[in-house]
Amino acid sequence: MTRYLEDIEIGETREYGAYTITESDLVAFAKRYDPQPFHVDRDAARETPPGHLIASGWQTACIAMRLAVLEGYLRDVAIVTGVGIDALRWTESVYPGDTLTVREEMLDKRPSESDPSRGVLRIEITVVTADDREVLTMEWIDLVKRRPGAADE
Amino acid sequence: MTRYLEDIEIGETREYGAYTITESDLVAFAKRYDPQPFHVDRDAARETPPGHLIASGWQTACIAMRLAVLEGYLRDVAIVTGVGIDALRWTESVYPGDTLTVREEMLDKRPSESDPSRGVLRIEITVVTADDREVLTMEWIDLVKRRPGAADE
């Protein structure tokens, strides 16, 4: 079922995903995209401020994206394109072995001023671990299709 | 040379990096983190709104991170930890073969209220292609060390 802007209720929530981040997965990502010592080498990480190997915050955000595409609103809402992200905060570290789950909440929606066939949707995304630590919060902004004819109603 | 909060001038800029994103690199990232048809399959992408294979916006952000670690302020500024991202906007698509460069500008800094040995630094990051299309803008927020003794001066 394709959900248009009109089909989304502000305040609706869902929770999904169980992505376990292994040490090798964590290190491979960081070597490519965030090669800081506390992300790429278990021994070097001991000498750094975190004192432990931790995941790149970018990888945590990317895992949230994967889960939203496969199991969340990006699977059923009629997205035109991603617009951006506001207020992203890395609130706690992610460690090898952590299992990540996404909580999404529909925050706001409004018709586009420039194109009546579209609207802007704002979604709060929170990433939590299996032991219920909130590791990342952010607001995603997407351009979404309105139901055909909705602008004329 | 390690640069502390006091060593950073608001308004200072630099430009660095030349990361060419290949089609296989683009598809491999998207299969893992953003498996939407217009990111993972050249033929399927033709039937989607962009009409062409385009990079995941998350990958563009991650490439900016890589370049900032290897060639930008993350190489020389005394970072304690990343805090978050504000006002991230994907302004244009990134295509296979695009070469990405980062422009950074120091936007704002202030001493921490809770810990006089630290401060909060805000950096504007813009990602541009070789043909000077701005594809991504965002503000990064980091916790940075103050110069030892600076709080007592």
Side-chain angles (χ1 to χ4, degrees), chain A residues 25 32 66 85-86 88, chain B residues 25 32 66 85 88-89:
Chain A
D25 182 15
R32 189 63 173 271
R66 174 188 172 86
I85 310 288
D86 281 343
L88 184 159
Chain B
D25 183 16
R32 189 64 173 272
R66 174 188 172 86
I85 310 287
L88 185 157
R89 293 295 179 272

Side-chain angles (χ1 to χ4, degrees), chain B:
Chain B
M1 187 193 74
T2 298
R3 300 171 73 218
Y4 296 99
L5 193 71
E6 287 72 18
D7 302 319
I8 293 161
E9 297 244 10
I10 298 313
E12 74 180 56
T13 62
R14 60 184 143 175
E15 187 168 321
Y16 46 81
Y19 186 105
T20 300
I21 186 165
T22 65
E23 181 169 325
S24 62
D25 183 16
L26 184 161
V27 167
F29 180 96
K31 281 187 172 166
R32 189 64 173 272
Y33 294 112
D34 191 350
Q36 301 186 83
F38 40 85
H39 296 321
V40 296
D41 185 291
R42 192 198 298 183
D43 295 325
R46 289 206 192 89
E47 312 299 317
T48 63
H52 194 294
L53 195 63
I54 58 173
S56 168
W58 288 103
Q59 188 175 16
T60 308
C62 289
I63 290 168
M65 185 67 189
R66 174 188 172 86
L67 296 175
V69 169
L70 295 179
E71 306 183 45
Y73 80 96
L74 288 166
R75 198 175 59 164
D76 51 37
V77 172
I79 305 292
V80 180
T81 188
V83 173
I85 310 287
D86 281 344
L88 185 157
R89 293 295 179 272
W90 291 294
T91 45
E92 291 209 38
S93 296
V94 172
Y95 301 99
D98 273 341
T99 298
L100 304 178
T101 293
V102 171
R103 292 180 184 147
E104 71 176 41
E105 177 175 351
M106 295 299 163
L107 277 189
D108 187 45
K109 63 176 185 177
R110 61 175 176 78
S112 164
E113 285 164 23
S114 57
D115 182 344
S117 74
R118 299 170 171 190
V120 177
L121 179 63
R122 188 175 281 266
I123 306 101
E124 185 171 76
I125 296 286
T126 306
V127 182
V128 297
T129 63
D131 53 338
D132 209 32
R133 286 181 297 121
E134 286 192 8
V135 294
L136 174 58
T137 62
M138 52 191 160
E139 293 181 20
W140 288 3
I141 310 157
D142 284 295
L143 204 57
V144 172
K145 290 182 193 167
R146 298 185 69 188
R147 196 185 297 140
D152 310 319
E153 283 167 11

Side-chain angles (χ1 to χ4, degrees), chain A residues 41-91:
Chain A
D41 185 290
R42 191 198 298 182
D43 294 325
R46 289 207 193 92
E47 311 300 315
T48 63
H52 194 293
L53 195 64
I54 58 173
S56 168
W58 289 103
Q59 188 176 16
T60 307
C62 289
I63 290 168
M65 185 67 190
R66 174 188 172 86
L67 296 175
V69 168
L70 296 178
E71 306 183 46
Y73 80 97
L74 288 166
R75 199 176 60 164
D76 52 38
V77 172
I79 304 292
V80 179
T81 188
V83 173
I85 310 288
D86 281 343
L88 184 159
R89 293 295 180 272
W90 290 294
T91 44

